[in-house]
């Protein structure tokens, strides 16, 4: 048995030397024929080098590759920094010479010129069915094989173009999928030749014969080292599998024999609180919305009562929507139980076949309201085995429910309740920051209580009305009654708080609105509505500071939306034919009012939530806890200390924070998929090809900027990229970006509405794979009208 020092991969001198060592040892994969020479040898005897290449690679297609001494070593990667040239005819001396000089030029350009730098020549692999890279550990050191691959050609993955990704847990109990079994065996062989637990980054190809070719092996320099044992991570995954099994069991009051979990199907937790939210943020979201308010609102609007049913649960640190619960909650209450079961089977199966629709379930999977595309969409129900009678029952129930929803009376009533909430908040006596912590805690609990009663319950209903209106509007476009220009013109005519915010900020910059007045209205907002660690607008000057304020002022001119008489008559006629009880004017007025009300309602209840968060922060500060500490509490820990003295609170919170930090740290090493369909999804994590939501019908091209705390004043005229955005990110629009791209978000999310209203081109909900490409791209061409985006240049 080889000692650590005797292992062939105990040191990495260059790409060429590593491949030379492995070429004599590998049995489960192979390395293409190779020839290595140095920069010095090329200078002294270039003709001899060319002759040798011709002799070794007789009438072959070859690839000439970089292999600088600063490339692929223990301490540095420089992956992709230097040039390699493909598709060279080994008989063509001129092409060989040009390719070699191009590689040497890339050494000079990167400051890596060295006469001892090798250059590597190999036979080019042909007839490749799959190629890509595999990491033997995740970047954070977690025990996963991370495979990025393409089934197109040998360069699409390593060049940063579109690829697929799968992560495989490195546990002995994991059953490797057939398509990767031989590859993993080959990788394990290479791992056995490396020192200790050294993580590797391996490029591979799989030929149509099934033979595996190893193109490159280098240490994964970026991988972090962790003291957490692999066995601890495996045990945690096993616990999550048991949790999934328990939650998937039949629930008597819900239709559906099984359930799935997704990070975006309803209330979009990935967008609102993030993919790995702080414990307090997730707990606050649960407290005021996803525990019970979400389904109480729907029941009051005519949908089935799913109580008890928690909408969002966490696996590790990642929040997921219980798909069975949400799908049940969208079934009209008048639907018979047997038919509801059939609908749930249809819905769940369609999501499993089309996971990329998880952020569009209300538009493309579920029948949540009646719209004029029902007759067309119902053909899918026919194909799925629904009888004509069953389809008529569904249609009648949806029509009745929708006609009851299409009234402005409920909008007015719910907004009045929201305004009562705001009055109650203002009526609470002011508490100085140095007040006893118990008083701040009591205030926070009181604010959260009233926020549910007169805030989020009403907001939930208004959000449903806005979705209903948007669904009908989309169906008008889909059926050709209005064109996309009219569709977006209507959305741009809507005047939500986002438009008013831009107007007020311009007035503030112009000196027409006092800062205190501006902050009194908008100061409660924060990017990350539920996150105590993120400063509010009135706590930081960074959101609105600029070297040139004039650049960031906006002129918002809203044009009144008026339907052409012929379209008005046509739409009214169709609505009447479909037995909807509104005409065209009433419909558009309803949609307009519902969308504006939804955004205003969130604006109002978030004031109450924001003050509750600040009360928690004030209580913690007086007891010696930072905001980062408090982010590790949940609402139960806050409620548990009411009426207790400071000594008890400190002891209890310290204990909760310590335990939650340890749990959060362990969970941070878990990789979890966007949608969980089965136990195996905890071990084999794959990412579907998403269908992004393109906003507006515009075409633009520009430079990308990844938003972080240090570049907030650099986004003017740029395409801003960030994971998720809620209304607290409205400050972004004041900087006049060219476009917006988010990883998470749905077609009717807050940010989608805001971008449509402001006429800002956007991709909302780009998804895992496309988002990762944007992270390494300099610029993109965005064609929203045709739903296309094209990266224009790599960062590295």
């Amino acid at each position: 048995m080889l000692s650590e020092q005797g292992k062939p991969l105990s040191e990495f001198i260059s790409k060429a030397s590593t491949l030379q060592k492995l070429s004599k040892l590998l049995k489960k994969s192979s390395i293409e024929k190779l020839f290595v020479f140095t920069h010095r040898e090329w200078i002294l005897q270039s003709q001899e080098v060319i002759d040798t290449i011709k002799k070794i690679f007789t009438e072959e297609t070859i690839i000439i590759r970089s292999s600088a001494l600063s490339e692929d070593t223990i301490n540095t990667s420089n992956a992709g920094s230097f040039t390699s040239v493909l598709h060279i005819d080994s008989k063509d001396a001129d092409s060989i010479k040009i390719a070699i000089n191009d590689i040497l030029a890339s050494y000079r350009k990167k400051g890596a010129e060295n006469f001892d730098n090798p250059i590597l020549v190999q036979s080019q692999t042909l007839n490749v069915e799959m190629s890509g890279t595999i990491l033997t550990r995740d970047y954070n050191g977690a025990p996963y094989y991370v495979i990025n691959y393409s089934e197109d050609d040998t360069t699409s993955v390593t060049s940063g173009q579109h690829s697929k990704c799968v992560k495989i847990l490195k546990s002995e109990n994991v059953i490797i999928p057939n398509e990767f079994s031989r590859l993993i065996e080959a990788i394990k062989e290479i791992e056995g030749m490396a020192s200790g637990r050294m993580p590797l980054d391996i490029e591979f190809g799989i030929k149509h014969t099934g033979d595996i070719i190893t193109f490159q092996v280098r240490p994964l320099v970026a991988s972090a080292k962790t003291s957490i044992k692999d066995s601890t991570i495996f045990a945690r995954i096993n616990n999550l599998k048991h949790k999934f099994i328990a939650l998937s069991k039949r629930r008597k009051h819900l239709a559906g024999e099984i359930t799935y979990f997704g990070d975006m199907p309803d209330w979009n937790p990935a967008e609102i609180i993030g993919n790995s939210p702080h414990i307090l943020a997730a707990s606050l979201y649960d407290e005021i919305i996803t525990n019970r308010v979400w389904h109480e609102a729907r029941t009051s609007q005519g949908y089935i009562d799913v109580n008890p049913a928690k909408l969002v649960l966490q696996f590790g640190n990642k929040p997921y929507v219980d798909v069975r619960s949400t799908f049940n909650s969208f079934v009209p209450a008048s639907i018979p139980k047997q038919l509801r079961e059939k609908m749930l089977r249809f819905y769940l199966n369609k999501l499993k076949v089309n996971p990329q629709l998880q952020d569009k379930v209300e538009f493309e999977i579920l029948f949540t309201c009646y719209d004029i595309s029902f007759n067309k969409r119902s053909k899918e129900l026919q194909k799925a085995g629904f009888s004509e009678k069953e389809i008529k029952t569904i249609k009648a129930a949806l029509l009745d429910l929708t006609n009851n929803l299409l009234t402005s009376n409920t909008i007015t009533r719910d907004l009045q309740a929201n305004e009562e909430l705001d009055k109650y908040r203002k009526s609470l006596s002011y508490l100085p920051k140095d007040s006893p912590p118990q008083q701040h805690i009591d205030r926070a609990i009181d604010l959260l209580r009233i926020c549910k009663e007169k805030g989020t319950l009403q907001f939930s209903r208004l959000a449903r009305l806005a979705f209903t209106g948007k669904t009908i509007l989309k169906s008008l476009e889909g059926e050709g009654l209005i064109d996309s220009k009219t569709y977006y013109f209507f959305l741009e005519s809507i005047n939500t708080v986002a438009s008013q915010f831009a107007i007020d900020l311009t007035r503030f910059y112009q000196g027409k609105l006092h800062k205190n007045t501006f902050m009194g209205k908008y100061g409660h907002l924060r990017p990350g509505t539920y996150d105590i660690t993120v400063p509010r607008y009135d706590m930081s000057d960074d959101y609105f500071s600029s070297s040139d304020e004039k650049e960031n002022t906006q002129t918002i001119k809203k044009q009144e939306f008026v339907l052409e008489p012929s379209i008005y008559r046509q739409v009214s006629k169709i609505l009447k034919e479909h037995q909807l009880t509104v005409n065209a004017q009433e419909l558009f007025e309803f949609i307009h009012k519902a969308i504006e009300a939804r955004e205003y309602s969130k604006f109002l209840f978030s004031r109450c939530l924001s003050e509750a968060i600040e009360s928690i922060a004030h209580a913690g500060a007086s007891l010696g806890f930072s905001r980062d500490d408090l982010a590790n509490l949940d609402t139960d820990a806050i409620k548990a200390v009411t009426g207790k003295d400071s000594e008890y609170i400190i002891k209890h919170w310290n204990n909760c924070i310590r335990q939650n930090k340890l749990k959060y740290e362990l969970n941070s090493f878990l990789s979890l998929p966007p949608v969980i369909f089965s136990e195996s999804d905890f071990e084999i994590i794959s990412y579907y090809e998403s269908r992004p939501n393109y906003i507006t019908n515009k075409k633009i091209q520009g430079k990308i900027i990844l938003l972080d705390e240090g570049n907030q004043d650099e986004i003017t005229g740029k395409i801003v990229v960030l994971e998720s955005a809620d209304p607290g990110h409205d400050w972004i629009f004041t900087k006049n970006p060219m476009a917006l791209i988010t990883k998470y978000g749905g077609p009717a999310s807050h940010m989608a509405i805001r971008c449509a209203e402001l006429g800002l081109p956007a991709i909302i909900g780009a998804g895992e794979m496309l988002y990762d490409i944007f992270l390494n791209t300099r610029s993109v061409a965005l064609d929203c009208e045709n739903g296309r985006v094209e990266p224009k240049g790599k960062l590295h």
Side-chain angles (χ1 to χ4, degrees):
M1 191 171 181
L2 286 172
S3 66
E4 286 296 316
Q5 291 78 15
K7 290 195 173 187
L9 298 184
S10 59
E11 60 178 355
F12 290 80
I13 297 172
S14 70
K15 179 194 303 181
S17 66
T18 298
L19 292 178
Q20 283 178 314
K21 290 177 185 177
L22 291 175
S23 65
K24 303 169 186 175
L25 299 170
L26 295 182
K27 296 196 172 34
K28 296 186 177 181
S29 66
S30 61
I31 291 171
E32 296 284 12
K33 184 167 49 179
L34 52 79
F35 168 63
V36 180
F37 60 95
T38 65
H39 185 176
R40 178 179 286 103
E41 289 171 328
W42 176 250
I43 292 173
L44 296 177
Q45 42 193 357
S46 59
Q47 188 56 51
E48 188 174 333
V49 167
I50 291 173
D51 291 342
T52 303
I53 291 172
K54 286 183 174 182
K55 183 177 180 181
I56 294 175
F57 304 96
T58 307
E59 296 188 0
E60 290 186 46
T61 300
I62 59 174
I63 175 173
I64 302 181
R65 309 174 65 187
S66 66
S67 182
L69 295 174
S70 59
E71 186 180 1
D72 300 343
T73 68
I74 292 286
N75 299 315
T76 58
S77 169
N78 282 327
S81 292
F82 308 108
T83 298
S84 290
V85 185
L86 295 83
H87 309 299
I88 301 170
D89 184 346
S90 64
K91 304 188 301 295
D92 188 339
D94 289 339
S95 294
I96 293 171
K97 186 175 182 179
I98 290 169
I100 293 170
N101 286 330
D102 284 348
I103 292 169
L104 293 175
S106 74
Y107 290 165
R108 286 194 300 274
K109 186 177 179 181
K110 297 291 183 179
E113 193 169 33
N114 185 323
F115 288 125
D116 292 322
N117 273 336
I119 294 175
L120 172 64
V121 185
Q122 283 187 283
S123 302
Q124 183 167 325
T125 308
L126 304 176
N127 300 316
V128 173
E129 286 196 343
M130 179 192 294
S131 66
T133 64
I134 179 166
L135 313 181
T136 61
R137 283 192 173 263
D138 208 338
Y139 283 114
N140 64 2
Y144 291 91
Y145 291 112
V146 183
I147 309 173
N148 288 285
Y149 66 99
S150 169
E151 294 166 320
D152 295 329
D153 57 59
T154 61
T155 62
S156 60
V157 175
T158 55
S159 63
Q161 297 175 30
H162 180 70
S163 65
K164 299 177 182 178
C165 178
V166 63
K167 295 183 179 182
I168 301 175
L169 189 69
K170 297 178 69 172
S171 168
E172 293 180 358
N173 300 320
V174 173
I175 300 173
I176 308 297
N178 288 336
E179 62 265 39
F180 299 114
S181 58
R182 285 186 64 183
L183 173 64
I184 295 300
E185 286 300 312
I187 298 304
K188 285 181 178 179
E189 180 185 40
I190 297 173
E191 280 187 284
M193 299 177 182
S195 300
R197 290 191 352 166
M198 178 187 292
L200 302 174
D201 179 356
I202 301 168
E203 290 182 23
F204 70 90
I206 302 178
K207 302 181 73 170
H208 71 284
T209 57
D211 294 332
I212 296 164
I213 309 298
T214 296
F215 296 134
Q216 194 159 323
V217 179
R218 53 179 169 247
L220 184 59
V221 178
S223 183
K225 293 182 179 179
T226 173
S227 59
I228 295 179
K229 295 180 179 178
D230 290 354
S231 58
T232 304
I233 295 173
F234 298 154
R236 182 68 182 127
I237 291 290
N238 201 46
N239 289 339
L240 295 186
K241 288 168 64 178
H242 287 301
K243 178 179 178 179
F244 172 80
I245 292 169
L247 290 169
S248 295
K249 290 179 180 177
R250 162 72 84 170
R251 301 183 69 186
K252 290 182 180 179
H253 71 297
L254 295 178
E257 295 180 358
I258 55 172
T259 191
Y260 306 138
F261 294 90
D263 58 15
M264 288 191 287
D266 190 7
W267 283 95
N268 215 328
E271 178 186 29
I272 301 300
I273 56 176
N275 195 42
S276 184
H278 291 126
I279 290 167
L280 181 59
S283 183
L284 287 169
Y285 195 47
D286 179 71
E287 175 74 19
I288 67 172
I289 293 178
T290 63
N291 183 20
R292 60 179 180 82
V293 164
W294 72 281
H295 65 72
E296 289 177 352
R298 285 182 194 162
T299 301
S300 72
Q301 292 177 306
Y303 293 97
I304 196 77
D305 186 355
V306 298
N307 185 48
K310 187 187 283 283
L311 180 66
V312 175
L313 301 101
Q314 284 189 256
F315 288 92
N317 294 333
K318 186 174 174 64
Y320 284 95
V321 170
D322 185 328
V323 173
R324 175 170 54 192
S325 292
T326 184
F327 282 5
N328 271 271
S329 77
F330 280 122
V331 178
S334 60
I335 296 287
K337 189 172 186 291
Q338 188 175 355
L339 181 53
R340 180 158 48 108
E341 287 283 356
K342 195 168 184 177
M343 292 171 73
L344 259 291
R345 283 196 297 272
F346 169 76
Y347 291 158
L348 290 168
N349 181 65
K350 186 170 181 180
L351 178 63
K352 189 167 186 179
V353 175
N354 302 279
Q356 75 278 6
L357 298 181
Q358 70 143 329
D359 65 335
K360 304 172 182 65
V361 295
E362 294 184 47
F363 296 99
E364 300 196 37
I365 291 182
L366 307 175
F367 290 83
T368 65
C369 66
Y370 186 84
D371 65 70
I372 63 169
S373 67
F374 179 85
N375 293 335
K376 182 186 291 183
R377 286 190 64 200
S378 65
K379 292 178 181 178
E380 190 177 7
L381 295 176
Q382 285 181 313
K383 290 180 181 178
F386 285 78
S387 69
E388 185 177 340
K389 182 180 178 181
E390 287 171 330
I391 293 172
K392 283 183 178 179
T393 300
I394 295 170
K395 179 177 181 178
L398 290 172
L399 190 58
D400 184 57
L401 182 145
T402 303
N403 280 326
N404 287 331
L405 292 178
L406 291 176
T407 171
S408 298
N409 295 337
T410 56
I411 296 176
T412 303
R413 186 175 64 246
D414 282 335
L415 281 181
Q416 286 174 347
N418 284 165
E419 287 167 352
E420 287 174 18
L421 165 70
D422 213 40
K423 289 176 184 177
Y424 181 86
R425 177 189 62 82
K426 291 176 181 176
S427 72
L428 293 177
S429 56
Y430 171 73
L431 272 182
K433 290 183 180 180
D434 58 358
S435 298
Q438 292 85 351
Q439 292 185 21
H440 284 296
I441 292 168
D442 289 343
R443 181 186 177 90
I445 293 171
D446 190 31
L447 286 167
L448 293 175
R449 174 190 61 79
I450 196 68
C451 189
K452 289 185 286 186
E453 292 177 7
K454 293 185 178 296
T456 54
L457 181 66
Q458 291 72 19
F459 167 71
S460 300
R461 284 198 288 256
L462 293 169
R464 176 94 310 270
L465 297 181
F467 266 86
T468 300
K470 187 81 181 289
T471 300
I472 298 173
L473 180 67
K474 197 69 181 170
S475 73
L476 293 176
E477 183 195 23
E479 295 298 312
L481 292 165
I482 60 173
D483 56 22
S484 63
K485 183 179 178 181
T486 303
Y487 176 84
Y488 281 111
F489 176 50
F490 171 73
L491 292 178
E492 288 182 37
S493 74
I494 295 172
N495 188 25
T496 73
V497 290
S499 296
Q500 191 58 49
F501 174 77
I503 293 169
D504 286 344
L505 184 66
T506 297
R507 293 176 62 217
F508 165 59
Y509 281 147
Q510 293 172 345
K512 297 177 182 178
L513 188 67
H514 194 276
K515 182 177 181 180
N516 290 342
T517 305
F518 178 80
M519 288 302 177
K521 189 173 181 180
Y522 302 105
H524 68 282
L525 297 172
R526 71 180 93 220
T529 301
Y530 298 81
D531 194 341
I532 196 171
T533 67
V534 178
R536 297 173 12 148
Y537 283 4
D538 58 10
M539 294 166 58
S540 173
D541 292 329
D542 291 341
Y543 297 118
F544 308 112
S545 63
S546 174
S547 57
D548 186 358
E549 292 174 348
K550 291 182 180 179
E551 284 186 12
N552 297 323
T553 59
Q554 291 181 310
T555 302
I556 304 293
K557 292 183 179 179
K558 292 289 181 181
Q559 296 183 28
E560 183 181 357
F561 176 79
V562 179
L563 270 179
E564 293 180 14
S566 60
I567 298 176
Y568 171 85
R569 288 192 296 270
Q570 188 178 11
V571 171
S572 292
K573 179 184 176 184
I574 290 294
L575 292 174
K576 186 175 181 179
E577 288 177 359
H578 282 261
Q579 299 179 313
L580 287 166
T581 56
V582 292
N583 60 32
Q585 182 177 339
E586 290 168 336
L587 174 65
F588 279 91
E589 285 179 355
F590 171 82
I591 300 171
H592 197 281
K593 192 171 183 179
I595 292 175
E596 286 185 351
R598 176 203 185 198
E599 300 305 306
Y600 184 54
S601 179
K602 168 127 195 197
F603 183 74
L604 290 178
F605 92 69
S606 64
R607 275 183 184 161
C608 194
L609 170 63
S610 188
E611 289 203 13
I613 291 173
E614 290 312 299
S615 292
I616 295 168
H618 295 329
S622 66
L623 296 168
F625 294 100
S626 69
R627 287 177 181 261
D628 287 336
D629 291 331
L630 296 170
N632 291 284
L633 292 176
D634 58 24
T635 54
D636 286 341
I638 293 165
K639 293 176 183 178
V641 299
T642 54
K644 304 295 184 180
D645 59 31
S646 295
E647 183 180 354
Y648 177 91
I649 298 173
I650 292 171
K651 183 178 179 181
H652 183 71
W653 282 6
N654 267 324
N655 185 48
C656 290
I657 290 168
R658 183 175 62 255
Q659 291 182 16
N660 287 337
K661 276 185 175 180
L662 290 172
K663 184 171 71 172
Y664 191 90
E665 182 187 7
L666 173 58
N667 288 337
S668 68
F669 289 95
L670 309 181
S671 286
L672 295 165
V675 187
I676 304 172
F677 292 110
S678 69
E679 298 167 63
S680 64
D681 289 332
F682 291 95
E683 300 169 335
I684 313 295
I685 300 96
S686 57
Y687 301 93
Y688 56 78
E689 185 174 348
S690 63
R691 250 184 52 194
N693 305 292
Y694 291 87
I695 310 301
T696 78
N697 54 1
K698 298 178 180 178
K699 299 178 182 180
I700 56 100
Q701 182 172 331
K703 292 183 178 179
I704 274 180
I705 183 167
L706 180 63
L707 190 65
D708 59 40
E709 293 181 2
N711 62 1
Q712 294 181 352
D713 287 331
E714 301 172 15
I715 67 178
T716 300
K718 305 281 181 56
I719 298 173
V720 179
V721 176
L722 69 164
E723 270 212 353
S724 61
D726 64 6
H729 287 83
D730 279 354
W731 66 270
I732 291 174
F733 301 124
T734 71
K735 306 286 187 179
N736 288 333
M738 179 183 290
L740 182 70
I741 295 174
T742 68
K743 183 177 183 179
Y744 300 112
S749 65
H750 294 281
M751 207 46 60
I753 292 293
R754 277 156 161 68
C755 290
E757 175 190 355
L758 298 173
L760 184 73
I763 298 178
I764 304 297
E768 298 271 354
M769 294 188 291
L770 189 57
Y771 182 79
D772 286 345
I773 291 174
F774 291 142
L775 295 184
N776 293 288
T777 301
R778 291 184 185 277
S779 63
V780 297
L782 180 57
D783 179 354
C784 294
E785 183 175 16
N786 296 301
R788 295 173 59 186
V789 61
E790 182 182 353
K792 288 294 184 181
K794 287 188 69 181
L795 280 178
H796 306 293

